[in-house]
Amino acid sequence: MPKPRLTKLELQVLEALWQKGACSVREIQEAFPEPGRPAYTTVQTVVYRLERKQALRCVKRISNAKIFEAVISRKDAQRRFVDELLAVFGGRGKMVMAHLVESGELTLEDIKEAEKALRRPSGKDQSQ
């Protein structure tokens, strides 16, 4: 299955499902903060769009309400997003790293973790 491109609102809907587990459109909508909460019909449209993209699925029905769960994991969605971001920069992370350093978002601890990851043999998990 090809990985779907996800919009900001689609990621927010998935975030509600990752945090709460399987839930209805109403429960997803109520997971949004009160100021700026999207309308029920907006969330419903996004949920059905995500269902077509196979990013979530209906797991059961309770009367007229459908209960949905995420099919893709948070980690897969994050990886896809980072891959798309890097593609904007020609596949090179140097400009992204420079921005993170300049903005103060990248700490020395982050750099040390990245160095450890670069030194690991490919495909090996260091926690073993």
Side-chain angles (χ1 to χ4, degrees):
M1 165 177 75
K3 295 178 183 174
R5 280 187 180 247
L6 301 171
T7 67
K8 183 179 177 181
L9 188 54
E10 289 171 340
L11 283 168
Q12 290 173 312
V13 165
L14 285 169
E15 185 62 40
L17 289 167
W18 293 324
Q19 287 181 8
K20 297 173 72 78
C23 52
S24 68
V25 172
R26 175 69 62 202
E27 292 169 312
I28 294 168
Q29 189 232 7
E30 290 173 353
F32 283 83
E34 189 68 46
R37 178 182 288 169
Y40 175 87
T41 54
T42 301
V43 174
Q44 184 178 45
T45 299
V46 172
V47 165
Y48 290 143
R49 187 182 319 140
L50 285 167
E51 188 176 30
R52 282 192 307 274
K53 290 181 176 185
Q54 298 179 346
L56 57 77
R57 67 176 165 234
C58 178
V59 290
K60 74 176 149 179
R61 291 174 183 240
I62 301 172
S63 187
N64 287 339
K66 292 181 177 181
I67 307 299
F68 295 91
E69 71 178 7
V71 172
I72 61 174
S73 70
R74 179 185 282 124
K75 189 172 187 175
D76 286 342
Q78 288 170 340
R79 283 184 175 159
R80 173 65 187 222
F81 185 78
V82 169
D83 289 346
E84 289 175 11
L85 175 65
L86 285 173
V88 170
F89 293 98
R92 305 278 306 167
K94 188 176 180 179
M95 289 179 66
V96 176
M97 295 291 284
H99 171 73
L100 292 172
V101 169
E102 290 168 6
S103 69
E105 294 294 323
L106 190 66
T107 66
L108 188 55
E109 184 178 314
D110 295 331
I111 293 169
K112 287 178 182 177
E113 283 184 43
E115 286 176 339
K116 285 180 190 176
L118 287 169
R119 288 189 176 102
R120 274 187 224 135
S122 182
K124 302 279 183 179
D125 184 359
Q126 199 69 354
S127 64
Q128 293 179 348

